[in-house]
């Protein structure tokens, strides 16, 4: 006890003493040279005496000396390249770890590299220099000569080419001096095949990462075969981890690679490389291998029954995203130490309950999604899997379960919803059916993501969903759920993504459902009805609101204009009425608007021309990264499986990272398309078709220069087509059909070279069709049909007469909306009147009988008029008397 007390007192005294003055001054000098105004080093100040409490600093509690120094991204990049002067670190005699990543380093000053520290920094074991600019490979290699105690060196993400004999020789010299180096990270550089002949001197190397380099062709394989000789000479007996992910390494036979790997005792990562088909058959000569990852290697066929099945100590196996088929071989059950297995995105078949998976009693993480597995009749064969916690009520600590896109069916297991530790559940794309039962709280304690979409579930929405206080994503689309949306949804305070589309839900949207953090809502293709009162009223973060194909009535509420983040608004095929809502023009982020197939009326608002379409990835991806940082997944992994093996946690994150992708359905080019990912990011469109809009098309719509699709068809619009439409330089689909538009088609439209679909059919347009050039040369008769006064190709009623040059052309900006050309009318009337008068005169001159009758008629008319005037005058006189 006395010893423990003395230890605590010593620890307390060390903390009170703080760092040494020379080290504090040294740190302040480093700040002054790197970035005096750095926010990262904001607490590095003169008046603070204890530098051990500064950010990025860790001290030895006993001696008070700095043992860890992190300058990750600390330097101001606007200062340009940084040539390192290692003498800056001379005061830190007990430094063990130094991080200089992301600082724009290009090399070391001459004779001022780390060799000047050889007698001072004898304890430096870890050096991070990733994401710098060491394009001069020779100078950077000369910096490390004096670091004899170095165990870990990170040079990833630089511009090192690793080519040239001098470079190879320098690296060999370096390897002869860094005898204790165990971990070497050369990821994301431009090293070529010569790197293999220069690393053999690292006698203590345990981990080597060469992923994302320029390893190519059979040359690499030949060099690996040379390393086989080196191995026989015991030059590399301690290499434990090799990563060649994302390289172009191609070996025509496994004989070249396996002997080199005989010394590996822990991990082998070959993801996204071109491996021979017999690789797995020959990998059995590595009996001590614990991790094997060959995802996305384009391997195909059935899994062999020999080779890889002999890896008795294997703990993690990744075969994902290949083209394997058939059933899992029985020898898989011999891997008794296996804890993580990923065979997702293949073509495996058979029933999982009768597969060798039932023999893997130590399995802790299992990914089977995107295969052709069949549903088991009973899960009893898995009851001995005490580490896999989802097949019985006693198995309660599984964190991730993904069985999407298989042939699983039947009623879902009660134990799945009864797990206290389930964070992510993906069962989409299967044939599960039946009603999800209600469980009393807290039967389901924590769940972040729930994906049950594209199944055959039915019945009312289970109340177990509303007990998920921490749920961020719920996808129940493409099922047969019915009944109203319960107001209990309002209890989900952190919900961000909700998809209940393509079910049989009815009733109204609960007015209390207006959480400010929700970003994506899909309620389309149900039977929801009533007014949009105050649902989503305060949802200021809402990006997508999809209410298509329901029975909503009334006017579109004004509060939608207050949703400042709204980018996609889909109200198609409802019963909304009233005039076009001007408040929609207030939505600065709006990029896709669909109010087609409603009962809206009145004139189109000119404010639509004020919409500024901007590309946004928010409408394409459901970004939940801030909810699930890597530390959270790592903690969940550690809680379930213990301390992770090297690089294994990255595989886990890639498997189970939240992957909700938005798909927006929108009509363009006369087709109903589903837009997603990058295409959705840059998609801009407006669909106002199939309503009762009146009046002229606003000229301001020509300001929508970024729009890709505009549909105003099936309305009662009149007037001419605005010539300003020629400004729509990005438009691909323009539909103005089935209206009452008149006048000529503006010739300026032919300058639009992006049009794929154009229709002005069934209007009252007149004149000649646009010149058949550019895109207009591809439009057929269906684009112009139903306009009786329109002529020219591709219509069949071509007019052979050339247009008179003296006839004034209509002004496109101030064209007369009248049906008759009045100048032409007056001219014809004058000619006809003159002809009639001349005809009468000619008849009277030629025929005497008719001439006499004409004069008698005139005389009778004069007498009649005279008698009428005299009689009227006398009556008027008598009336005055």
């Amino acid at each position: 006890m006395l010893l423990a007390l003395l230890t605590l007192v010593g620890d307390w005294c060390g903390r009170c003493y703080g760092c040494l003055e020379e080290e504090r001054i040294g740190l302040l000098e480093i700040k002054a040279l790197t970035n005096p105004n750095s926010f990262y080093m904001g607490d590095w100040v003169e008046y603070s005496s204890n530098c051990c409490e500064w950010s990025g600093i860790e001290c030895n509690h006993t001696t008070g000396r700095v043992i860890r120094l992190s300058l990750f991204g600390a330097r101001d990049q606007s200062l340009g390249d940084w040539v390192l002067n290692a003498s800056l670190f001379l005061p830190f005699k007990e430094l063990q770890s130094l991080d200089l990543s992301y600082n724009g380093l290009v090399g070391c000053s001459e004779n001022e590299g780390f060799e000047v520290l050889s007698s001072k920094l004898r304890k430096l074991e870890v050096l991070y220099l990733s994401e710098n600019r060491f394009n001069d490979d020779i100078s950077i290699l000369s910096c490390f000569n004096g670091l004899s105690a170095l165990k870990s060196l990170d040079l990833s993400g630089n511009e090192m080419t690793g080519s040239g004999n001098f470079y190879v020789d320098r690296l060999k010299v370096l390897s002869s001096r860094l005898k204790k180096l165990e971990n070497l990270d050369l990821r994301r550089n431009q090293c070529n095949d010569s790197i293999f002949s220069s690393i053999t001197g690292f006698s203590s190397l345990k981990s080597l990462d060469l992923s994302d380099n320029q390893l190519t062709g059979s040359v690499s394989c030949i060099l690996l075969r040379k390393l086989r000789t080196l191995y026989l000479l015991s030059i590399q007996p301690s290499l434990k981890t090799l990563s060649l992910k994302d390289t172009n390494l191609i070996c025509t036979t496994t004989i070249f690679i396996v002997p080199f790997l005989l010394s590996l005792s822990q991990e082998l990562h070959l993801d996204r490389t071109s491996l021979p088909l017999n690789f797995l058959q020959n990998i059995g000569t590595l009996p001590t291998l614990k991790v094997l990852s060959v995802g996305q290697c384009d391997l195909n066929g059935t899994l062999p029954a020999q080779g890889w099945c002999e890896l008795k100590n294997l703990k993690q196996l990744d075969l994902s995203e290949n083209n394997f088929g058939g059933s899992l071989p029985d020898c898989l059950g011999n891997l008794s130490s296996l804890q993580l297995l990923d065979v997702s995105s293949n073509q495996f078949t058979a029933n999982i309950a009768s597969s060798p998976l039932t023999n893997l009693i130590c399995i802790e993480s299992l990914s089977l999604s995107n295969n052709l597995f069949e549903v088991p009749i009973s899960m009893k064969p898995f009851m001995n899997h005490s580490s896999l916690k989802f097949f019985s009520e006693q198995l309660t600590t599984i964190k991730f379960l993904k069985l999407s896109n298989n042939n699983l069916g039947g009623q879902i297991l009660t134990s799945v919803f009864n797990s206290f530790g389930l964070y992510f559940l993906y069962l989409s794309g299967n044939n599960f059916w039946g009603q999800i039962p209600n469980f009393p709280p807290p039967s389901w304690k924590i769940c972040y993501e729930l994906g049950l979409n594209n199944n055959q579930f039915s019945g009312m929405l289970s109340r177990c969903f509303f007990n998920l206080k921490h749920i961020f994503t719920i996808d129940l689309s493409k099922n047969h759920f019915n009944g109203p949306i319960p107001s209990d949804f309002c209890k989900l305070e952190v919900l961000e993504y909700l998809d209940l589309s393509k079910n049989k839900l009815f009733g109204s949207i609960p007015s209390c459902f207006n959480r400010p953090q929700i970003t994506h809502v899909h309620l389309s293709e149900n039977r929801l009805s009533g007014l949009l009162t105050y649902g989503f009223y305060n949802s200021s973060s809402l990006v997508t609101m999809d209410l298509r194909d329901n029975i909503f009535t009334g006017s579109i509420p004004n509060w939608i204009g207050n949703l400042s983040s709204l980018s996609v608004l889909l109200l198609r095929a409802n019963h909304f009425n009233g005039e076009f809502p001007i408040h929609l023009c207030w939505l600065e982020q709006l990029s896709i608007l669909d109010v087609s197939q409603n009962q809206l009326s009145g004139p189109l608002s000119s404010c639509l021309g004020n919409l500024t379409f901007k590309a946004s990835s928010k409408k394409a991806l459901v970004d939940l990264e801030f909810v699930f940082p890597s530390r959270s997944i790592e903690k969940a992994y550690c809680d379930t499986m213990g301390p992770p093996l090297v690089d294994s946690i990255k595989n886990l994150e890639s498997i189970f990272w939240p992957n909700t992708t938005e798909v927006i359905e929108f009509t363009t080019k006369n087709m109903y398309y589903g837009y997603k990912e990058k295409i959705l990011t840059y998609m801009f469109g407006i669909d106002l078709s199939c309503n009762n809009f009146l009046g002229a098309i606003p000229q301001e719509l020509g300001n929508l220069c970024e729009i890709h699709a505009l549909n105003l068809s099936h309305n009662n619009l009149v007037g001419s087509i605005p010539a300003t439409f020629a400004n729509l330089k990005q438009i691909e689909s323009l539909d103005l059909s089935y209206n009452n538009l008149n006048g000529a088609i503006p010739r300026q439209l032919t300058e639009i070279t992006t049009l794929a679909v154009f229709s002005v059919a069934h209007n009252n347009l007149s004149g000649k069709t646009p010149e058949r050039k550019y895109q207009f040369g591809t439009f057929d008769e269906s684009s112009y049909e139903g306009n009786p006064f329109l002529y020219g190709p591709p219509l069949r009623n071509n007019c052979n007469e050339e247009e008179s040059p003296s006839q004034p052309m209509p002004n496109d900006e101030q064209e007369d909306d009248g049906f008759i050309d009045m100048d032409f009318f007056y001219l014809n009337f004058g000619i006809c009147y003159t002809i009639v008068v001349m005809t009468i005169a000619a008849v009277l001159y030629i025929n005497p009988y008719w001439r006499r009758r004409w004069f008698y008629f005139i005389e009778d008319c004069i007498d009649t008029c005279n008698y009428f005037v005299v009689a009227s005058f006398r009556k008027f006189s008598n009336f005055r008397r």
Side-chain angles (χ1 to χ4, degrees):
M1 181 170 297
L2 179 60
L3 180 61
L5 180 60
L6 291 175
T7 303
L8 291 174
V9 171
D11 180 67
W12 177 81
C13 292
R15 290 175 182 271
C16 293
Y17 181 73
C19 66
L20 298 184
E21 181 64 16
E22 63 171 332
E23 292 186 339
R24 191 181 74 88
I25 295 175
L27 291 172
L28 293 175
E29 291 179 355
I30 292 174
K31 177 181 179 181
L33 290 174
T34 55
N35 189 355
N37 301 316
S38 172
F39 174 80
Y40 172 78
M41 295 184 288
D43 53 355
W44 294 27
V45 290
E46 285 277 359
Y47 55 81
S48 178
S49 60
N50 188 4
C51 62
C52 294
E53 297 179 352
W54 294 355
S55 58
I57 307 297
E58 181 180 339
C59 296
N60 186 300
H61 296 321
T62 303
T63 64
R65 283 192 170 273
V66 175
I67 59 174
R68 189 182 69 85
L69 173 57
S70 175
L71 297 175
F72 181 93
R75 188 170 184 272
D76 185 359
Q77 297 290 330
S78 63
L79 298 177
D81 295 340
W82 186 15
V83 179
L84 181 65
N85 184 346
S87 61
L88 287 172
F89 306 102
L90 283 175
F92 312 106
K93 297 179 181 180
E94 293 189 12
L95 190 64
Q96 299 175 13
S97 174
L98 176 61
D99 189 349
L100 297 176
S101 304
Y102 287 90
N103 279 296
L105 278 170
V106 295
C108 298
S109 301
E110 187 175 356
N111 299 322
E112 294 292 342
F114 286 103
E115 67 273 7
V116 303
L117 308 177
S118 57
S119 62
K120 301 292 184 180
L121 300 186
R122 296 181 178 179
K123 296 184 178 181
L124 186 63
E125 296 181 349
V126 180
L127 180 59
Y128 297 99
L129 295 171
S130 62
E131 305 300 334
N132 283 291
R133 295 191 290 270
F134 296 135
N135 51 354
D136 183 359
D137 306 320
I138 299 173
S139 68
I140 187 57
L141 293 181
S142 64
C143 293
F144 309 129
N145 290 336
L147 302 179
S148 58
L150 200 64
K151 293 184 177 180
S152 180
L153 178 60
D154 185 352
L155 293 172
S156 61
N158 287 280
E159 300 175 6
M160 301 171 62
T161 59
S163 59
N165 294 330
F166 191 70
Y167 172 85
V168 173
D169 294 340
R170 204 57 172 276
L171 190 57
K172 286 182 178 179
V173 173
L174 182 64
S175 65
S176 65
R177 296 182 179 179
L178 301 182
K179 294 295 185 180
K180 296 182 180 180
L181 192 67
E182 298 179 356
N183 303 304
L184 179 59
D185 192 342
L186 295 174
R187 290 174 297 162
R188 299 191 301 278
N189 283 290
Q190 301 177 30
C191 299
N192 58 24
D193 300 323
S194 62
I195 191 68
F196 290 104
S197 62
S198 58
I199 61 175
T200 56
F202 294 108
S203 57
S204 300
L205 197 62
K206 295 182 180 179
S207 175
L208 173 64
D209 196 339
L210 291 172
S211 57
D212 286 301
N213 275 283
Q214 303 297 322
L215 307 180
T216 59
S218 59
V219 176
S220 299
C221 299
I222 295 173
L223 291 172
L224 288 176
R225 186 166 64 173
K226 291 181 179 180
L227 289 176
R228 176 189 181 186
T229 306
L230 297 174
Y231 163 69
L232 294 176
L233 296 175
S234 300
I235 291 178
Q236 280 186 291
S238 60
L239 185 64
K240 294 184 178 181
T241 302
L242 176 64
S243 176
L244 297 175
K245 295 185 294 183
D246 298 291
T247 65
N248 294 322
L249 183 63
I250 303 174
C251 297
T252 56
T253 173
T254 316
I255 297 176
F256 293 154
I257 190 171
V258 171
F260 166 69
L261 299 175
L262 286 174
S263 60
L264 284 170
S265 61
Q266 286 191 355
E267 304 188 25
L268 176 59
H269 301 276
L270 297 173
D271 306 81
R272 296 173 291 280
T273 60
S274 298
L275 295 176
L277 296 179
N278 61 345
F279 174 79
L280 291 177
Q281 296 178 5
N282 295 280
I283 199 67
T285 54
L286 304 177
T288 59
L289 198 63
K290 295 181 180 179
V291 176
L292 175 62
S293 183
V294 290
Q296 301 181 48
C297 291
D298 200 27
L299 299 173
N300 52 45
T302 58
L303 281 174
Q306 65 276 356
W308 66 282
C309 289
E310 301 170 11
L311 304 176
K312 302 298 184 180
N313 294 311
L314 200 63
K315 292 185 177 181
Q316 298 193 16
L317 175 62
D318 185 356
L319 302 174
S320 63
E321 298 188 56
N322 284 287
N323 294 310
F324 290 119
S327 58
L328 295 172
D330 293 337
C331 66
L332 174 61
N334 298 331
L335 303 181
S336 57
S337 300
L338 200 61
Q339 296 177 359
L340 184 149
L341 175 63
D342 186 355
V343 295
S344 61
S345 299
N346 282 284
Q347 303 293 322
F348 289 118
T349 58
N351 194 307
I352 62 174
S354 58
S355 71
L357 296 175
T358 58
N359 297 326
L360 303 177
I361 59 175
C362 293
I363 196 73
E364 298 178 1
S365 178
L366 179 63
S367 181
L368 308 175
S369 62
N370 295 300
N371 279 285
L372 302 174
F373 289 118
E374 298 177 0
V375 60
I377 299 176
S378 173
M379 292 296 178
K380 290 183 178 180
F382 290 92
M383 288 303 143
N384 292 327
H385 291 59
S386 58
S387 299
L388 191 60
K389 311 290 185 178
F390 70 97
F391 287 126
S392 72
E393 294 183 2
Q394 288 75 30
L395 308 177
T396 58
T397 61
I398 192 170
K399 307 300 180 184
F400 310 98
L401 176 59
K402 185 175 182 180
L403 299 172
S404 304
N405 300 316
N406 283 289
N407 289 326
L408 302 175
Q411 289 186 301
I412 197 167
L413 298 171
T414 302
S415 55
V416 172
F417 295 101
N418 240 2
S419 175
F420 280 82
L422 191 61
Y423 289 166
F424 303 91
L425 175 60
Y426 305 102
L427 299 178
S428 59
N430 286 289
N431 294 307
F432 291 114
W433 55 270
Q435 185 171 357
I436 297 177
N438 296 318
F439 296 105
S443 60
W444 207 358
K445 190 174 183 180
I446 296 177
C447 186
Y448 295 143
E449 280 213 22
L450 175 63
L452 304 181
N453 52 302
N454 200 11
N455 279 285
Q456 304 294 325
F457 292 116
S458 59
M460 300 182 67
L461 294 175
S462 174
R463 292 191 175 276
C464 72
F465 299 139
F466 314 131
N467 299 326
L468 306 177
K469 304 300 182 181
H470 304 281
I471 191 78
F472 289 92
T473 298
I474 295 180
D475 191 348
L476 305 178
S477 61
K478 299 179 183 179
N479 281 287
H480 303 290
F481 291 112
N482 55 43
I485 299 177
S487 59
D488 290 336
F489 262 108
C490 303
K491 300 177 181 178
L492 305 179
E493 298 181 354
V494 297
L495 186 66
E496 294 190 14
Y497 182 92
L498 175 63
D499 193 346
L500 302 178
S501 61
K502 298 182 180 179
N503 281 286
K504 299 177 181 179
L505 303 174
F506 56 82
S508 60
I509 298 177
S511 59
C512 63
F513 197 76
N514 51 18
R515 296 297 178 185
Q517 78 288 338
I518 196 165
T519 58
H520 299 268
V521 174
H522 294 271
L523 301 177
S524 62
E525 297 186 47
N526 282 286
R527 301 171 186 172
L528 300 173
S529 59
L531 303 174
L532 286 183
T533 52
Y534 293 99
F536 313 111
Y537 176 77
N538 290 325
S539 302
S540 56
S541 301
L542 194 61
V543 175
T544 299
M545 179 188 289
D546 184 1
L547 305 180
R548 294 170 296 120
D549 296 280
N550 281 288
I551 321 174
F552 291 113
T553 58
S555 59
I556 299 176
N558 295 332
W559 52 260
I560 292 184
N562 298 325
L563 304 179
S564 57
S565 300
L566 193 63
S567 180
V568 178
L569 179 59
L570 307 177
L571 304 178
R572 174 182 179 268
N574 280 283
H575 294 251
F576 292 113
N577 54 40
E579 295 189 353
F580 181 84
I582 298 178
H583 47 273
L584 297 185
C585 302
W586 304 345
L587 300 172
E588 297 181 355
Q589 303 297 324
L590 190 64
S591 59
I592 296 180
L593 172 63
D594 188 353
V595 294
S596 61
Q597 299 184 37
N598 280 284
Q599 300 171 14
L600 301 174
S601 58
L604 293 179
S605 176
S606 60
C607 70
L608 277 172
N610 298 328
L611 293 176
T612 57
F613 295 128
K614 302 176 183 177
S616 173
S617 60
K618 291 183 178 180
K619 62 182 178 181
L621 294 175
V622 183
D623 186 10
L624 301 176
E625 184 173 353
F626 67 96
V627 175
F628 311 112
S630 60
R631 295 293 182 187
S632 297
I633 292 187
E634 184 176 358
K635 183 178 184 301
Y637 181 94
C638 294
D639 291 344
T640 305
M641 303 177 65
L645 299 175
V646 178
D647 201 40
S648 302
I649 190 65
K650 297 178 182 179
N651 295 336
L652 183 68
E653 291 177 9
S654 65
I655 296 171
F656 293 113
W657 196 258
N659 56 359
T660 305
T661 301
E662 275 285 72
V663 178
I664 299 299
E665 295 180 349
F666 184 73
T667 301
T668 182
K669 302 178 184 179
N670 297 328
M671 297 287 289
Y672 209 45
Y673 292 101
Y675 294 92
K676 62 180 181 179
E677 297 178 347
K678 190 174 182 179
I679 297 178
L680 177 58
T681 299
Y682 295 96
M683 179 61 193
F684 312 115
I686 296 178
D687 191 347
L688 307 178
S689 62
C690 300
N691 281 285
N692 298 313
F693 290 118
L694 305 169
I697 300 175
Q699 300 278 344
E700 290 78 5
L701 291 185
N703 298 332
L704 303 175
C705 56
E706 298 295 331
I707 197 170
H708 294 293
L710 177 61
N711 191 347
L712 304 178
S713 65
H714 293 85
N715 281 287
N716 297 314
L717 301 174
V718 297
S720 60
I721 299 175
T724 57
F725 276 9
N727 299 327
L728 307 180
K729 299 300 184 181
Q730 303 295 327
I731 197 165
E732 300 176 10
S733 177
L734 178 60
D735 193 348
L736 305 176
S737 61
Y738 290 94
N739 281 287
N740 296 314
L741 302 175
N742 52 46
I745 301 175
R747 295 188 176 184
Q748 297 94 320
L749 297 184
T750 58
E751 301 300 323
I752 303 177
T753 58
T754 56
L755 265 179
V757 173
F758 174 74
S759 179
V760 291
H762 300 282
N763 281 283
N764 292 322
L765 300 172
S766 59
K768 190 177 181 180
T769 56
E771 183 181 357
R772 292 185 64 77
K773 66 178 183 178
Y774 303 132
Q775 292 300 108
F776 275 79
T778 64
F779 302 142
D780 57 19
E781 184 179 0
S782 62
S783 297
Y784 305 100
E785 64 184 6
N787 293 279
F789 298 101
L790 200 62
Y791 65 90
L795 295 175
R796 299 177 182 177
N797 56 337
N798 294 334
C799 182
N800 295 325
E801 296 182 7
E802 293 293 333
E803 207 170 6
S804 175
S806 61
Q807 183 178 346
M809 296 299 296
N811 189 313
D812 289 316
E813 299 293 339
Q814 300 177 352
E815 185 176 359
D816 191 350
D817 290 343
F819 178 71
I820 300 176
D821 191 331
M822 297 305 295
D823 293 337
F824 186 70
F825 171 77
Y826 292 143
L827 178 62
N828 283 327
F829 179 79
I831 294 174
C832 293
Y833 181 80
T834 302
I835 292 174
V836 170
V837 172
M838 295 297 294
T839 301
I840 294 175
V843 170
L844 295 179
Y845 177 78
I846 296 172
N847 193 325
Y849 174 78
W850 284 108
R851 186 167 59 249
R852 288 195 299 272
R853 295 297 301 171
W854 171 258
F855 288 137
Y856 289 154
F857 173 74
I858 296 299
E859 185 177 4
D860 289 341
C861 289
I862 293 174
D863 291 341
T864 301
C865 292
N866 183 45
Y867 292 148
F868 175 77
V869 171
V870 172
S872 299
F873 178 75
R874 289 179 177 177
K875 289 181 179 180
F876 181 72
S877 299
N878 293 334
F879 176 76
R880 293 184 62 183
R881 292 176 183 174

